Amino acid sequence: MDWSYILAVMVTSAFGLQAIVFGLAAIGINIQFGYTGLLNFGQAAFMAVGGYSVAVVVVEFGWSFWVGVPIGIIAAILLALLLGIPTLRLRADYLAIVTIAAAEIIRLILRSVTFKELFGGSDGRQAFADGFFALSPYPDDAAISIGPAVINDQQLWTYTVGWLLVALALLITWLLVRSPWGRVVKGIREDEDAVRSLGKNVFAYKMQALVLGGVFGALAGFITAIGAQNVNPDVFKTDATFFAYAILILGGAARVFGPLLGTIIFWAVFQGTDVFLREGIDAGLPIISLMDGTQAAVLRVMLVGLGIMLLMIYRPQGILGDRRELALDAR
Amino acid sequence: MPDSTSTSGTRHDEAVRALASVPRVPGAPKPDPILVVDGVKRSFGGLTAVDVQHVEIQRGAITALVGPNGAGKTTFFNLLTGFDTPDTGQWLFDGKDLAGMPAYKVARLGMIRTFQLTKALSKMTVIDNMRLGAKNQIGERMIPAILGLWKSQEVAVTEKADELLARFKLFEKRADFAGSLSGGQRKLLEMARALMTDPTMVMLDEPMAGVNPALTQSLLEHIKDLREQGMTVLFVEHDMDVVRDISDWVIVMAQGSVIAEGPPDEVMRDEAVITAYLGGHHDKALTASGVSYTEEASQ
Amino acid sequence: MHRRILAVLGVLFATFVALVAMASPAAAEGQAVGGKLENRVEGVKTPVAGVEIAVVGDGFQGTATSDADGVWRVELPALGNYDVTINVETLPEGVALTEEDKVTIEQVPVKPPLFGGLKTVTFPLGQSTATTTSLWEQTAQLTVSGLQFGLLIALGALGLSIIYGTTGLVNFAHGEIITFGALATWTLNAGFGLPFIVAAIGGLLLSAAFGWLNNAALWRPLRKRGTGLIAMMIVSIGLAIFLRNLYQFFAGAEKKSYTEFAGMAGLSLGPVSITPTDIAVIIISLVALIATVLVLSKSRLGKATRAVSDNPSLAAGAGINVERVITFVWVIGAALAGLGGILLGFTQQVSFQMGFQILLLVFAAVTLGGLGTISGAIFGSLVVGLFIQLTTLIIPTELKNVGALLVLIIILLVRPYGLLGRRERVG
């Protein structure tokens, strides 16, 4: 068992691509769910919209990568409007059902043979990020080694931009939630009729929260597309949404830095568990070696589910949250 | 500020004088109505909850809306304030047609309501509850909020909130979570928060419900105070002593309709009113309890 | 309300039984083997006429020649197993058997007929053996499979809906109860070698017990703690992820079939080809749904359930033991879901994510009918099932679920409280 390897994986995962992607997605959910109380269970769809926008624009239309970015953001805004109009006037559970359904609709369309010419079916789309890497200030031979893991120049550029986006999203969240705008959405989270009775257009605020959170989701989609140099429909399953929820709840909902802390810890532990189990299987450790590699991968997702349950039951405020303020138990 | 502690302020006298010549019949026209309701009807699955032919509310007066359980008072409130949509009907507030208008627009026009079950936002501090009430805040718009253009307005809003909190004897609690307040204090907070919007008409749904007797008197004074400041008050109440004490005019509802109107003392002697409260309640127990049952269910 | 949905289910049941009965007289004509020869080239199907077919078995020998419609038929003297051979010499030019080993189909079992007494045998000609069907035939076929799918959805939706009605929980782990029923049955059947019927009864009982366990070990304690409904909804998501991966951990990712009743030949019922298992699935789910609705509307516990759904505190005040009702609802709901899973194991196959895959359709059905209503759940399910199958006439099959989910969103635009639900009140 190579502990230094496990440690290196944990460190690189804590600050790696997935941590950025799911951090951004979770910041979006924090605005929607944490502060406004909207159950968007379709964040994966917003990620898909972002990722596929840059991919399709480059691969299918031959336009610049940088055209895909505004298109992705506009598409995410349109998606939020589309989902919000029928559901934001309804009870929270309806929004949950409609958004999860919408995410599935989008995934099924993306992977369909019918639209294969546009979206590439279940293979997805590859090789579209050259325009992004062309702007990289790092020399081609730039590399950072963390233990046995090596980060090359392209990854370095992706991570730089990714963490800058995370910082930007956190800054916007911070500015918003301490403003009167934040006061209104927190009021909506607890009792929207009270806020409505004071002359606030509740529907408009919910829509703004849904749109902003969705745009953060699209940013997550950009980064996952660039980092993997690949988009395919199975990256954007509902599990992606719920991973982001797990991260948010772990770090602390309705806390600006909750998603950041959550994503760092989540990915360190999630990937660390994976390597630990694989190493354990190879080393023939008792009990662990009864599993095979697939089972080990399944086991850690199982633990994510268990983790969501235990957190919600015993510590719904997560690490940073304030139980008194958290409206998770409100209806 | 006019004498706000005595039972009969100047505005009270004005209101009584203005209403003196109004006929004591349901739907009677008022000399200076702020609210005129016509043919508002709402039914739930065949059960008629509200069916008000015509009613007018006098400007600057305190009008009580009374009636047995299930008379449709809260539903009527919901309809007038845009929290529910009637099957038919229209009503004018200050000459503006409110039919089909969403609740927040009604509130912006100056008709502010409170709720039977107090909606103080318990997970927010008292002062934040108050600030939330202020109108036209630039920082409530997304872009100015991000750019931080709201700081100076926030100071003014906070000043106003603190003044109101002091008046409602909640200043000491300003930094506490509203959830830590007593039932009566929450009612006070809700009323104070409503005043942050500078309303012209305040609709109070059972302002005394769940308030401990020590606070009742202070709440009553605050309601009278609203009138003295030129606001119109319409409130739902069960306690007849309260109604007699503070209202200039009483409207009685039973089974969804207005059955009587008049000054408090006269209305309480009205035959139809007594029947509605006593006999009628038994005769029509099925309908009445049916309605009140759905009302409770929706709480 | 219940009377209406009972009437719908009753009419379905009666229609279906009548169809079966109407088809039965043909059985009296005696047994036969027959089929339709068609040449399929790039999706275009043409009947193949003048081809000789020989049927041999039990001392019997008979031949037939396909007519202008490609139809052939050989009357048989008795039940038994027969070898059916196609005379490739008589095939017209350009037409070939696509699978060479299918010249003779051996030991075709001719059993006591359920319908029509015709045992269908097909030979793969051209590129495929798929039969041409008219639009009317397709519609009829899709209606039957849509109804069947709708009934399976209803088994899940009814449980989800009554659990929501009594506890307010939107249970995202309901799909995993569906999977549980199928996996438990498959384990007893394929793993322990029990006959399918026994295994299915076992799977049903285990599902009911699983529902009881869900409530007793997780949801009841959470209700006692005063956990909010949204928090519980997220807990149910965690539970769903946990269970789904637990299933995969132990059962693997591959699809499984029960050891019996697999790949049965289709029987013709009017324009519709249907397997005996399909018939069984339809009848069993109809009976289960009718029985549940009857129990919920007639029995004391059922009435108590509806009282709790209407208003829990009022029901408790009236002396109803709310927790007992909720336990009952969980057991019934899980049994129905488990049954849905067991039957779904036939029409699809058994896999760790079968319940998860159908869950959204169950949600769509429940939302369509109005959350929390019993008849709404069943009605919504039938609509969703029919819609999914019938739209394949127009849209590609791979996108059929997309259509149903889109309709869900559109319906919410028009009738936010579902098709049968009631508007909510504020105040």
Side-chain angles (χ1 to χ4, degrees):
Chain A
M1 176 132 325
D2 186 348
W3 287 104
S4 67
Y5 175 58
I6 295 176
L7 199 65
V9 166
M10 287 179 77
V11 172
T12 46
S13 308
F15 302 98
L17 184 72
Q18 300 287 55
I20 298 168
V21 169
F22 283 84
L24 279 169
I27 293 169
I29 293 173
N30 198 21
I31 298 225
Q32 296 163 338
F33 172 65
Y35 289 104
T36 319
L38 299 175
L39 279 174
N40 170 19
F41 281 177
Q43 189 69 326
F46 289 94
M47 296 163 73
V49 160
Y52 269 87
S53 291
V54 287
V56 169
V57 156
V58 174
V59 177
E60 280 308 312
F61 300 112
W63 299 341
S64 154
F65 173 90
W66 299 105
V67 176
V69 171
I71 288 180
I73 288 172
I74 291 167
I77 293 172
L78 289 179
L79 178 63
L81 294 176
L82 200 69
L83 294 183
I85 287 169
T87 52
L88 287 180
R89 293 181 205 278
L90 305 175
R91 281 192 326 236
D93 34 16
Y94 278 104
L95 179 68
I97 292 173
V98 167
T99 45
I100 199 174
E104 197 60 10
I105 289 174
I106 287 178
R107 195 179 67 87
L108 288 172
I109 289 177
L110 290 177
R111 70 171 297 139
S112 69
V113 177
T114 316
F115 294 100
K116 191 171 170 125
E117 298 213 338
L118 194 57
F119 301 121
S122 54
D123 297 332
R125 289 285 177 227
Q126 292 78 29
F128 44 78
D130 292 346
F132 173 81
F133 294 118
L135 289 192
S136 168
Y138 300 113
D140 285 355
D141 54 356
I144 295 181
S145 318
I146 299 169
V150 180
I151 297 169
N152 68 23
D153 65 309
Q154 291 199 338
Q155 285 169 316
L156 211 52
W157 177 226
T158 312
Y159 293 178
T160 309
V161 173
W163 283 114
L164 281 175
L165 285 178
V166 170
L168 178 72
L170 289 176
L171 178 68
I172 290 175
T173 309
W174 181 73
L175 287 170
L176 274 177
V177 300
R178 60 196 287 276
S179 76
W181 189 90
R183 197 157 58 214
V184 176
V185 297
K186 283 183 226 167
I188 292 171
R189 177 183 64 185
E190 187 178 339
D191 189 336
E192 58 180 75
D193 280 338
V195 178
R196 197 172 277 132
S197 77
L198 295 170
K200 320 290 178 194
N201 186 349
V202 168
F203 180 78
Y205 282 99
K206 286 181 171 182
M207 189 61 95
Q208 288 169 16
L210 191 65
V211 166
L212 183 64
V215 168
F216 288 167
L219 298 183
F222 295 149
I223 300 299
T224 188
I226 294 164
Q229 304 241 39
N230 169 38
V231 284
N232 82 71
D234 294 328
V235 174
F236 306 109
K237 283 186 187 172
T238 41
D239 274 2
T241 299
F242 295 133
F243 274 31
Y245 267 87
I247 283 166
L248 175 65
I249 295 162
L250 173 67
R255 277 289 176 272
V256 173
F257 293 101
L260 177 68
L261 186 66
T263 198
I264 290 172
I265 297 177
F266 180 91
W267 287 104
V269 173
F270 189 71
Q271 301 293 37
T273 310
D274 188 50
V275 190
F276 170 77
L277 290 175
R278 282 170 202 284
E279 290 267 309
I281 292 167
D282 289 346
L285 285 188
I287 302 174
I288 292 176
S289 56
L290 294 176
M291 287 186 288
D292 59 33
T294 321
Q295 282 179 317
V298 170
L299 178 69
R300 57 188 188 144
V301 184
M302 204 162 105
L303 293 176
V304 173
L306 195 62
I308 292 176
M309 289 172 73
L310 295 177
L311 272 171
M312 278 317 292
I313 295 170
Y314 294 108
R315 205 177 158 82
Q317 72 272 36
I319 298 171
L320 295 179
D322 177 347
R323 189 156 204 169
R324 287 176 307 168
E325 194 214 309
L326 205 64
L328 282 176
D329 55 344
R331 168 117 170 130
Chain B
M1 191 176 284
D3 177 9
S4 60
T5 48
S6 84
T7 320
S8 47
T10 46
R11 304 265 186 170
H12 170 66
D13 298 338
E14 263 172 52
V16 169
R17 225 173 300 129
L19 290 164
S21 59
V22 172
R24 275 65 164 146
V25 292
K30 307 290 181 311
D32 180 17
I34 189 170
L35 182 67
V36 180
V37 182
D38 268 304
V40 168
K41 206 173 165 183
R42 175 76 166 102
S43 49
F44 296 101
L47 204 70
T48 303
V50 166
D51 185 3
V52 172
Q53 299 298 325
H54 183 86
V55 81
E56 295 184 5
I57 308 292
Q58 171 71 10
R59 187 189 307 272
I62 298 181
T63 305
L65 186 60
V66 303
N69 262 336
K73 303 178 300 274
T74 295
T75 306
F76 190 45
F77 253 49
N78 288 343
L79 294 171
L80 293 181
T81 50
F83 278 83
D84 193 1
T85 321
D87 309 331
T88 57
Q90 65 160 34
W91 60 108
L92 301 179
F93 171 68
D94 243 354
K96 280 172 287 260
D97 186 2
L98 297 192
M101 191 179 279
Y104 77 92
K105 283 192 180 162
V106 172
R108 282 181 189 176
L109 285 177
M111 189 201 265
I112 294 283
R113 70 168 298 177
T114 64
F115 295 85
Q116 195 175 340
L117 294 171
T118 323
K119 288 190 184 291
L121 296 162
S122 56
K123 283 155 186 167
M124 262 188 210
T125 59
V126 169
I127 187 70
D128 269 347
N129 262 282
M130 294 295 289
R131 287 177 182 140
L132 187 61
K135 282 211 269 197
N136 300 322
Q137 296 187 56
I138 186 170
E140 287 183 352
R141 300 210 304 269
M142 203 176 208
I143 303 297
I146 293 173
L147 299 179
L149 303 177
W150 45 274
K151 302 274 167 58
S152 60
Q153 195 187 22
E154 185 85 346
V155 174
V157 165
T158 307
E159 227 165 79
K160 182 177 173 186
D162 282 340
E163 266 170 43
L164 275 167
L165 284 178
R167 209 169 100 201
F168 282 80
K169 303 205 167 52
L170 287 170
F171 189 79
E172 312 299 312
K173 304 269 183 191
R174 73 190 291 277
D176 293 1
F177 280 101
S180 67
L181 301 181
S182 74
Q185 287 172 324
R186 284 184 211 198
K187 288 274 182 195
L188 284 172
L189 174 60
E190 201 184 15
M191 206 185 290
R193 190 177 64 189
L195 294 187
M196 285 294 290
T197 66
D198 301 320
T200 46
M201 180 167 180
V202 182
M203 320 260 290
L204 306 170
D205 196 351
E206 299 204 19
M208 305 299 161
V211 177
N212 87 51
L215 268 175
T216 309
Q217 202 52 40
S218 135
L219 251 166
L220 287 180
E221 293 308 324
H222 282 300
I223 295 176
K224 287 187 220 167
D225 213 25
L226 301 179
R227 173 183 58 199
E228 294 314 316
Q229 290 177 21
M231 285 171 237
T232 307
V233 179
L234 178 66
F235 75 109
V236 170
E237 188 49 66
H238 281 297
D239 187 334
M240 282 305 157
D241 291 332
V242 169
V243 171
R244 192 178 288 118
D245 186 10
I246 64 168
S247 53
D248 306 315
W249 193 260
V250 178
I251 296 171
V252 188
M253 279 181 83
Q255 292 164 43
S257 312
V258 174
I259 58 159
E261 272 192 47
D265 292 330
E266 289 177 42
V267 158
M268 281 167 203
R269 289 196 300 269
D270 189 303
E271 202 61 36
V273 175
I274 296 166
T275 316
Y277 267 90
L278 302 169
H281 199 62
H282 293 288
D283 289 342
K284 307 272 165 39
L286 211 76
T287 330
S289 65
V291 176
S292 79
Y293 160 73
T294 47
E295 269 180 1
E296 278 157 26
S298 70
Q299 298 295 330
Chain C
M1 278 308 257
H2 293 171
R3 215 167 296 155
R4 234 190 297 164
I5 199 68
L6 273 175
V8 170
L9 293 175
V11 166
L12 273 179
F13 188 78
T15 313
F16 194 73
V17 170
L19 271 176
V20 172
M22 259 158 48
S24 298
E29 291 173 6
Q31 295 73 44
V33 173
K36 188 172 183 183
L37 294 178
E38 283 175 319
N39 181 28
R40 181 173 175 141
V41 180
E42 288 175 357
V44 181
K45 287 163 275 186
T46 41
V48 182
V51 181
E52 273 181 23
I53 307 277
V55 178
V56 182
D58 285 353
F60 169 83
Q61 199 162 358
T63 52
T65 307
S66 61
D67 62 17
D69 293 327
V71 174
W72 61 272
R73 181 183 175 101
V74 177
E75 301 296 332
L76 300 173
L79 303 173
N81 292 338
Y82 295 86
D83 294 347
V84 184
T85 310
I86 184 168
N87 185 346
V88 287
E89 307 280 280
T90 59
L91 284 171
E93 227 172 279
V95 179
L97 207 58
T98 50
E99 293 167 57
E100 286 171 0
D101 58 336
K102 291 280 177 69
V103 175
T104 299
I105 297 172
E106 291 174 2
Q107 298 292 307
V108 175
V110 180
K111 291 178 180 170
L114 261 171
F115 321 103
L118 178 72
K119 173 73 190 175
T120 309
V121 175
T122 44
F123 292 96
L125 297 180
Q127 293 175 334
S128 158
T129 56
T131 49
T132 26
T133 40
S134 65
L135 183 66
W136 144 245
E137 279 173 325
Q138 281 183 45
T139 309
Q141 181 78 49
L142 289 171
T143 304
V144 171
S145 59
L147 276 177
Q148 184 197 41
F149 194 40
L151 289 168
L152 290 181
I153 294 174
L155 289 173
L158 191 50
L160 186 79
S161 196
I162 53 177
I163 289 170
Y164 173 84
T166 45
T167 65
L169 170 71
V170 178
N171 183 20
F172 276 80
H174 201 70
E176 275 56 48
I177 305 179
I178 296 176
T179 312
F180 182 90
L183 268 182
T185 303
W186 175 80
T187 308
L188 294 173
N189 176 233
F192 292 85
L194 294 177
F196 174 77
I197 302 295
V198 180
I201 292 170
L204 189 63
L205 293 176
L206 284 172
S207 301
F210 188 56
W212 176 86
L213 183 71
N214 260 270
N215 181 48
L218 182 62
W219 302 114
R220 188 189 300 147
L222 287 187
R223 280 196 300 276
K224 289 223 169 102
R225 288 169 63 109
T227 308
L229 292 174
I230 287 177
M232 287 216 258
M233 195 196 295
I234 298 174
V235 170
S236 81
I237 288 168
L239 178 65
I241 295 175
F242 174 75
L243 286 176
R244 192 156 66 243
N245 287 284
L246 186 76
Y247 298 154
Q248 193 191 352
F249 188 90
F250 287 110
E254 66 281 358
K255 292 191 168 187
K256 309 153 186 25
S257 304
Y258 303 129
T259 57
E260 292 159 66
F261 307 115
M264 289 181 90
L267 300 158
S268 323
L269 182 65
V272 179
S273 163
I274 189 166
T275 65
T277 45
D278 284 332
I279 294 167
V281 164
I282 291 176
I283 289 178
I284 292 170
S285 39
L286 270 173
V287 167
L289 288 172
I290 291 173
T292 311
V293 175
L294 279 177
V295 165
L296 286 175
S297 51
K298 302 283 182 215
S299 77
R300 272 192 62 212
L301 210 46
K303 285 178 182 163
T305 304
R306 284 190 295 150
V308 173
S309 287
D310 279 349
N311 187 332
S313 44
L314 206 68
I320 293 173
N321 182 343
V322 173
E323 278 302 329
R324 191 161 147 252
V325 167
I326 292 176
T327 303
F328 163 76
V329 161
W330 267 99
V331 168
I332 293 284
L336 285 172
L339 178 64
I342 295 167
L343 299 179
L344 203 61
F346 278 123
T347 60
Q348 302 173 3
Q349 276 176 308
V350 180
S351 88
F352 74 98
Q353 53 184 354
M354 59 191 292
F356 175 65
Q357 283 162 343
I358 200 180
L359 181 72
L360 280 184
L361 301 178
V362 172
F363 273 144
V366 170
T367 315
L368 212 59
L371 269 174
T373 65
I374 291 166
S375 40
I378 297 174
F379 178 71
S381 303
L382 294 178
V383 171
V384 168
L386 281 172
F387 185 87
I388 287 177
Q389 291 300 334
L390 286 174
T391 45
T392 58
L393 287 171
I394 307 158
I395 61 171
T397 311
E398 59 175 356
L399 293 178
K400 61 185 179 182
N401 290 358
V402 170
L405 296 175
L406 269 179
V407 165
L408 163 72
I409 296 176
I410 292 164
I411 295 263
L412 283 176
L413 260 175
V414 190
R415 280 184 69 92
Y417 26 87
L419 289 175
L420 298 184
R422 273 182 302 175
R423 284 168 69 170
E424 286 210 47
R425 297 181 58 191
V426 206

